[in-house]
Amino acid sequence: MIKAFENYEVWFVTGAQLLYGGDAVVQVDGHSKEMVEGLNNSGRLPVKVVYKGTANSSKEVADIFAQANNEKKCIGVITWMHTFSPAKMWIHGLQILHKPLLHLHTQFNEEIPWDTMDMDFMNLNQSAHGDREFGHIISRMRIRRKLVVGYWKDPKTQEHIAVWERVCAAWADSQDMLILRFGDQMNNVAVTDGDKVAAEQVMGYHVDYCPFSEVMKYFNEVKDEDVDALVNVYFSDYDHDAELEDTTTEGYKKVWNAAKAELTLRAVLEDKGAKGFTTNFDDLGDANVEQTGLGFDQIPGLASQRMMAEGYGFGAEGDWKSAALYRSVWVMNQGLQGGCSFLEDYTLNFNGEQSAILQSHMLEVCPLIATARPRLEVHFLGIGIRKSLTARLVFTSKVGKGVTATVVDMGNRFRLIVNDVDCIEPKPLPKLPVASALWIPQPNFEVGAGCWIYAGGTHHSCFSYDLTDEYWQDYAEIAGIECLIINNDTTVDNFRRELRVNEVYYMLNKALC
């Protein structure tokens, strides 16, 4: 359906038992096939569902789940109990299952056939208590899962499954995710750093350092004709002043050099199989680049903007957690229309109930969230090792609802913090030519910003117009990390109480382990 998901599949396993005879098993199998076909034909699920049969014994369950673990295309398992399926037969399979699990509580028939229902029908259609039996053993075994309750043909039910599928795809993608850091953390910042070993253990992705001396090897291999071609793409895809196309001007030179930097970064990432990267604007190669040519003559902001739009994870100033999270946001966002971006809390606008936060960065905001066609511009940037004219895309974001998220390292656990936000119309910034968004954190500035700070949230976050709290709750459930949601239902008192309760829970959990 969507390129990002075409190599993935979700397995569907139906629970039953042989108590009711072979004819019942045949009917269960037929109903299950019809349900899977209906789900796939609904047009709502981004990942294909594959029916893997009816499980009637402990051995059958364990065999199917072992196969799921070993099949790379399988990114998750959906279970449903058509009849009463004794839960002890699921124990060994659940003990070995390493893929995300969704428990679907549904029924093949929509309504009770009041006039014709007999004991045979009752024996066959026992989801009402079969799913409770299965739910009990999952809860007793403390197994993480998503529970979807509703009729399988209902669009709402299918949409909940679709959300989970997208999260499973992002999770699968992160299990072989490599993030390259071009430069280290900057200026002793705490919140953008953390335990890379723990992150790989918990969330799957690997973070490596790539010295700029190695980047220069790729830089020197970039061909001028390839740079020329990319510059022409820039001029075709983005609004710009005509004088930028004058090859004798400093502006053209900066655009050309920005294109060479993009081609360099692409070459490094493609060669190493990386899905994301971080930059450091104090580490761009030789400080005397104008004389030696051994480095980038500007921060690679334009490259970062364009590469984010294509799915590369990005984090500024060495923020590897944001780079990895943005890649996952982009994967979940595939096929949806709103767009997503890495963003930073830039400055505040106090205006009563309309008090808001300007979101931007020096340059690196993804054009997927632009309200109109971006403009390619060149302006002086007076920060970092390269205080010089710098190419960038300038735009403002769409008006609408969205959600932003970040992951922080709390020492004994990772914490996912999520905030629903309302993007509003910004005012012009004639002297600040950057890409930007302006939003009011829900439920309002005071509570939203306050709770984010109470939770230890970062000044960087990963934003999407399309994702919802449900996506992030599913992500945290699969990853087994703490999840804090800030939305219109949040109050400061309740949120602080949740923080205290969570602290006790995770301290006790660590002690018991």
Side-chain angles (χ1 to χ4, degrees):
M1 177 181 174
I2 298 168
K3 190 174 182 180
F5 307 132
E6 63 184 5
N7 293 321
Y8 292 142
E9 59 189 33
V10 166
W11 287 12
F12 190 103
V13 182
T14 303
Q17 61 174 319
L18 298 177
L19 176 66
Y20 309 113
D23 290 343
V25 172
V26 171
Q27 291 183 72
V28 168
D29 192 63
H31 289 171
S32 300
K33 290 177 180 176
E34 184 176 334
M35 288 172 63
V36 168
E37 183 179 4
L39 291 172
N40 285 327
N41 291 336
S42 70
R44 294 186 178 88
L45 304 190
V47 179
K48 181 181 179 181
V49 182
V50 177
Y51 178 52
K52 300 304 289 187
T54 300
N56 297 291
S57 68
S58 178
K59 183 180 184 305
E60 290 178 359
V61 171
D63 285 347
I64 293 171
F65 284 1
Q67 293 170 29
N69 287 337
N70 294 325
E71 176 54 64
K72 290 184 178 180
K73 293 180 67 176
C74 175
I75 60 172
V77 176
I78 299 174
T79 55
W80 167 58
M81 307 300 115
H82 190 309
T83 69
F84 188 81
S85 180
K88 289 171 68 174
M89 80 179 213
W90 291 87
I91 292 174
H92 295 304
L94 289 169
Q95 284 175 327
I96 65 172
L97 182 65
H98 299 308
K99 297 294 175 74
L101 176 65
L102 183 148
H103 178 198
L104 178 59
H105 180 42
T106 191
Q107 187 170 270
F108 177 72
N109 55 295
E110 184 172 11
E111 297 181 351
I112 294 174
W114 301 100
D115 295 334
T116 61
M117 185 169 64
D118 55 17
M119 189 56 66
D120 288 337
F121 182 92
M122 287 284 288
N123 287 337
L124 181 65
N125 297 279
Q126 297 191 27
S127 300
H129 63 293
D131 278 326
R132 283 165 170 75
E133 167 77 354
F134 183 69
H136 165 74
I137 202 64
I138 300 176
S139 296
R140 174 168 175 158
M141 295 175 69
R142 275 70 171 179
I143 290 174
R144 300 191 299 270
R145 86 287 203 180
K146 177 168 187 171
L147 174 64
V148 174
V149 179
Y151 187 51
W152 61 276
K153 289 184 180 180
D154 189 330
K156 289 184 180 179
T157 301
Q158 295 171 357
E159 287 163 6
H160 287 307
I161 298 172
V163 167
W164 176 80
E165 284 191 338
R166 288 177 177 277
V167 176
C168 287
W171 182 253
D173 178 79
S174 69
Q175 301 313 294
D176 67 349
M177 185 193 301
L178 170 62
I179 301 296
L180 289 184
R181 293 186 303 141
F182 301 119
D184 207 335
Q185 299 301 117
M186 289 191 63
N187 303 323
N188 294 312
V189 177
V191 75
T192 55
D193 208 344
D195 189 334
K196 302 177 187 67
V197 175
E200 187 162 355
Q201 287 179 296
V202 174
M203 290 175 281
Y205 50 77
H206 181 76
V207 184
D208 265 347
Y209 173 67
C210 183
F212 222 85
S213 58
E214 187 172 353
V215 175
M216 284 299 97
K217 297 176 184 178
Y218 294 87
F219 181 83
N220 293 331
E221 293 175 358
V222 174
K223 298 177 181 179
D224 287 356
E225 55 266 33
D226 292 334
V227 180
D228 292 338
L230 183 54
V231 169
N232 288 332
V233 170
Y234 292 170
F235 291 149
S236 173
D237 288 354
Y238 309 118
D239 292 342
H240 58 280
D241 291 337
E243 64 184 38
L244 272 187
E245 298 190 38
D246 184 346
T247 59
T248 66
T249 64
E250 184 70 9
Y252 179 86
K253 177 183 176 182
K254 289 297 182 179
V255 171
W256 197 93
N257 288 344
K260 186 170 183 178
E262 178 179 335
L263 292 171
T264 301
L265 294 180
R266 286 182 183 278
V268 178
L269 296 172
E270 289 173 5
D271 188 48
K272 295 182 179 295
K275 295 179 180 179
F277 65 102
T278 70
T279 57
N280 179 317
F281 52 77
D282 280 335
D283 189 359
L284 298 172
D286 195 325
N288 299 313
V289 65
E290 295 292 345
Q291 288 74 41
T292 66
L294 300 176
F296 293 172
D297 72 340
Q298 59 192 287
I299 296 170
L302 178 58
S304 301
Q305 290 181 291
R306 286 172 45 80
M307 294 171 73
M308 270 194 283
E310 295 176 18
Y312 283 102
F314 174 77
E317 298 127 35
D319 186 356
W320 50 271
K321 294 193 297 299
S322 287
L325 194 65
Y326 176 76
R327 166 69 184 196
S328 293
V329 169
W330 181 86
V331 171
M332 287 188 274
N333 235 79
Q334 287 308 285
L336 306 177
Q337 301 302 314
C340 52
S341 182
F342 165 87
L343 286 169
E344 176 179 88
D345 296 311
Y346 222 51
T347 193
L348 307 177
N349 187 59
F350 287 104
N351 183 25
E353 291 300 314
Q354 290 297 106
S355 292
I357 309 171
L358 181 67
Q359 300 290 322
S360 187
H361 204 261
M362 293 174 300
L363 302 176
E364 304 97 334
V365 177
C366 179
L368 290 177
I369 67 170
T371 189
R373 193 181 193 209
R375 281 185 58 82
L376 174 63
E377 299 184 13
V378 176
H379 299 278
F380 182 79
L381 185 66
I383 191 170
I385 196 171
R386 301 286 188 261
K387 296 177 176 62
S388 66
L389 291 172
T390 307
R392 80 286 300 272
L393 297 178
V394 179
F395 56 85
T396 56
S397 71
K398 308 177 185 81
V399 171
K401 294 185 179 298
V403 62
T404 200
T406 189
V407 169
V408 295
D409 187 343
M410 297 301 293
N412 64 340
R413 65 192 185 277
F414 289 100
R415 170 180 285 171
L416 174 68
I417 309 168
V418 180
N419 194 182
D420 293 356
V421 300
D422 296 306
C423 292
I424 61 176
E425 189 76 36
K427 292 183 179 180
L429 296 167
K431 293 187 177 182
L432 184 65
V434 295
S436 65
L438 182 67
W439 73 43
I440 302 172
Q442 292 186 10
N444 55 51
F445 174 82
E446 181 182 5
V447 175
C451 288
W452 186 275
I453 294 171
Y454 272 125
T458 60
H459 55 286
H460 293 163
S461 65
C462 299
F463 167 79
S464 169
Y465 283 104
D466 300 295
L467 305 187
T468 62
D469 296 349
E470 183 180 0
Y471 284 84
W472 289 118
Q473 289 163 339
D474 287 355
Y475 179 89
E477 184 74 8
I478 291 171
I481 62 176
E482 182 183 11
C483 182
L484 297 169
I485 304 291
I486 306 168
N487 57 26
N488 274 330
D489 296 325
T490 301
T491 66
V492 173
D493 286 347
N494 287 340
F495 191 81
R496 296 189 70 186
R497 186 177 300 112
E498 183 179 3
L499 289 173
R500 290 191 291 269
V501 170
N502 286 7
E503 195 64 40
V504 173
Y505 168 83
Y506 282 100
M507 289 176 64
L508 289 174
N509 188 58
K510 184 177 181 180
L512 291 173
C513 292

